[in-house]
Amino acid sequence: MAKVAMTVNGRKVSKECEDRTLLVHFLRDQLSLTGTHVGCDTSQCGACVVHMDGKAVKSCSILAAQAAGSEILTIEGLAANGELHPVQAAFKANHGLQCGFCTPGMVMTAVDMISRYGAKLDEQTVRENLEGNICRCTGYHNIVKAILAAAEEMGAAGRQAAE
C-alpha cells in the first residue's frame, strides 16, 4: 500500500491505495468522483479522460502513484459557482450527447483541445483530436458542433476580457 497525495479539483487529498491502483479507480473508488468513466480498460475509448497538470490524460493508463503531487481536474471540477463550464453548456445547447457515457471524456478532451488551439480550431482539427474518444451513439456531428461553438464562445469571452 502506498499513500498517494495530490490536488483534485482544487482540493488536497491523500489516501492509501495499492501500488497497482489506476488513477481512474483512485478517483472513482477512493474519492467517489464517478463522473470519470471506465469504458474499455485498454486506453482506447477516452471515457476516462481527466486533466493532469493541465493536460488531458487517459486516467486508465496512469497509476495513482504516478499522479502523486499532481493537480487533477475531473468533470466534477469544471463547473464553477453553479454555472456550467462553456464546453458543458455548448454540449447541452448543441445536443452533443445522447446516452452520456462518453460525455465526461469528450468534454475534458474538448477543454484541453480548446486550450491548445483556441480560435484556430476547425472541424478537421476537432475530428482529428477526438480520435482517441469513442462515442457509440451520436456519429460525432453534434459533438464537433458543440466543441466549435464552445471554442467560439470562449474566444469571444477572452477577447472581451482583453478589451
Side-chain angles (χ1 to χ4, degrees):
M1 297 288 273
K3 187 152 189 135
V4 178
M6 62 186 78
T7 302
V8 179
N9 298 333
R11 193 183 97 216
K12 291 190 182 304
V13 298
S14 180
K15 300 272 186 182
E16 283 196 11
C17 64
E18 292 184 35
D19 295 337
R20 65 189 177 114
T21 302
L22 295 171
L23 179 58
V24 66
H25 295 299
F26 183 81
L27 294 169
R28 292 179 60 82
D29 302 338
Q30 298 286 325
L31 303 180
S32 298
L33 295 171
T34 57
T36 303
H37 293 158
V38 179
C40 66
D41 279 333
T42 59
S43 184
Q44 307 241 341
C45 75
C48 67
V49 172
V50 298
H51 292 184
M52 185 166 100
D53 297 325
K55 295 187 177 170
V57 298
K58 292 183 178 178
S59 61
C60 74
S61 65
I62 296 171
L63 295 170
Q66 290 175 291
S70 293
E71 292 209 17
I72 305 296
L73 179 66
T74 70
I75 191 75
E76 290 92 344
L78 273 187
N81 302 319
E83 295 289 321
L84 292 176
H85 183 279
V87 174
Q88 292 171 305
F91 266 68
K92 180 179 177 187
N94 291 280
H95 309 288
L97 55 109
Q98 282 185 353
C99 82
F101 191 81
C102 71
T103 305
M106 290 284 188
V107 168
M108 297 306 289
T109 298
V111 170
D112 177 68
M113 191 185 319
I114 293 167
S115 75
R116 288 185 291 119
Y117 290 98
K120 296 180 212 165
L121 265 180
D122 58 33
E123 183 175 342
Q124 180 178 341
T125 304
V126 171
R127 287 185 182 277
E128 288 170 0
N129 278 264
L130 286 178
E131 189 174 291
N133 292 72
I134 296 173
C135 175
R136 292 176 175 94
C137 301
T138 67
Y140 299 93
H141 178 73
N142 287 343
I143 292 170
V144 172
K145 187 174 154 185
I147 293 169
L148 291 171
E152 177 64 31
E153 167 81 19
M154 292 168 72
R159 287 191 298 274
Q160 288 174 355
E163 292 173 352

